[in-house]
Every structure is written in structure tokens, then in C-alpha cells.
Amino acid sequence: EVQLLESGGGLVQPGGSLRLSCAASGFTFSSYAMSWVRQAPGKGLEWVSAIGTGGDTYSADSVKGRFTISRDNSKNTLYLQMNDLRAEDTAIYYCAKHPVAGNFDYWGQGTLVTVSS
Amino acid sequence: QTVVTQEPSFSVSPGGTVTLTCGLSSGSVSTSYYPSWFQQTPGQAPRTLIYNTNIRSSGVPDRFSASILGNKAALTITGAQADDESDYYCVLYMGSGIRAFGGGTKLTVL
């Protein structure tokens, strides 16, 4: 059974940093691309970043230069390093697994990030 | 910048059929966009219904189907049930590693 478990969320001041983790199990982690998707309170889903099996990375313009996605295949873990956080980054952050080609087939339960002074 | 479009809201009667769509502000959706569909109820994580245009995710009932209809991706729910009342999102692969979600459709079953 595929399981994705996010952690690392919390309250951080504007301008601060946070690192999210997503522990994966139930599939061969290294063989699949992964993404982070967020949802601000009362809003829709927003794709944040993706990482391919070869380590290639892609990010939305809204986080480019501030957020970095990475993976450790030896630990079956996906990361999102978030720097220079802003109030508008407040959201639930979900990790999502991609199928062999295309968009997301499995989701984690999410971790809440709140950026506030 | 091209925007992914969805109906903001839709209503269906119990037992009825409804088709939600996912389009582009400019251009047509094709299988190359790998359209996927997700269901989300308040306070819950999204659940994948359909990925890669028409592949039903594990455990999803065959009341949910999807296709390309004209210039849009479409999600059809047949025999709507009360617990289908949810928010439905689509996502498209825009190329160069970039994905974009639609704004979501709030489906009411009444």
C-alpha cells in the first residue's frame, strides 16, 4: 500500500525558513517523480514543485528562487526547503506521487505551514 | 499566461449524471496534457479519481469516468450519490515540468 507521510510544518515568522519532509513507503520511491502541492485556507490546489527520477527539478513562479525540492532515495524521503517565507505561503502542503507518466496518483495527508508574526 | 478553467459550481440530482470540464483559456486540452481529476471533501486530502486522461485510480467506482470532449477534458459522474458532493479539481501538464490546477468545481447533489 502506497503511503506518503508529511512532516515539518509549523508556525514561522515572515522571512523565516522551514524544511518539509515526506516519508514514502509501499512503492519503489526512486522510480517515480514526486511533487509538492499546497492549498491556502479556503482556496484551491496549487502545484508548487516537482522532482524527476533523475533529480531534475521544476517549480512554480510563485516559489522560484525561494523553495527547493529534493529527494533522498536511500531514505525514501522527499523534501521541500522553504526560505524567505511570506504570509501568502500559509497553506497545507501535500506531497504527491506521480504515475510512470503524467500527474498525481497518490497523496499524503498534508502538513500545515503558517507564516505569521 | 494560459489558465486552466473549470466551472465554479455545478448541481446534480441524486441518481443523475453530470459532466464537469477542464479547459484552457487559450487552446485545446489533449491527452498530451495528461489531465487528471481529484475529489476533495472539507478537511480531507485530495483523492485521485482519474489520471492520464482516463485511468481510474485504485478503488474508484466505475461511476466516475473521464475523456477528452471537444477541446476540454471531462469528468462524468453517473448515478450521482449524496457523498459525491465535493470539490473536484483537474490538473494539466503544461510542459517543461510545469503543472497547473484548475480553480475547482463545487458539486452539489440535491
Side-chain angles (χ1 to χ4, degrees), chain B residues 95-108:
Chain B
S96 302
I98 305 299
R99 275 78 178 176
F101 281 93
T105 297
K106 186 176 187 62
L107 180 66
T108 302

Side-chain angles (χ1 to χ4, degrees), chain A residues 8-25:
Chain A
L11 175 63
V12 61
Q13 292 188 338
S17 297
L18 213 53
R19 189 177 82 155
L20 306 183
S21 300
C22 171
S25 61

Side-chain angles (χ1 to χ4, degrees), chain B residues 10-78:
Chain B
F10 229 114
S11 184
V12 62
S13 300
T17 296
V18 62
T19 296
L20 311 182
T21 68
C22 177
L24 292 168
S25 57
S26 175
S28 300
V29 177
S30 67
T31 57
S32 301
Y33 286 83
Y34 297 97
S36 301
W37 293 90
F38 313 98
Q39 179 190 50
Q40 189 181 36
T41 52
Q44 298 296 314
R47 169 199 183 197
T48 299
L49 297 174
I50 303 283
Y51 62 94
N52 293 5
T53 305
N54 56 12
I55 300 175
R56 206 174 292 115
S57 193
S58 177
V60 174
D62 58 9
R63 302 186 296 105
F64 294 90
S65 62
S67 64
I68 301 294
L69 219 55
N71 62 350
K72 296 182 179 182
L75 173 72
T76 298
I77 306 171
T78 57

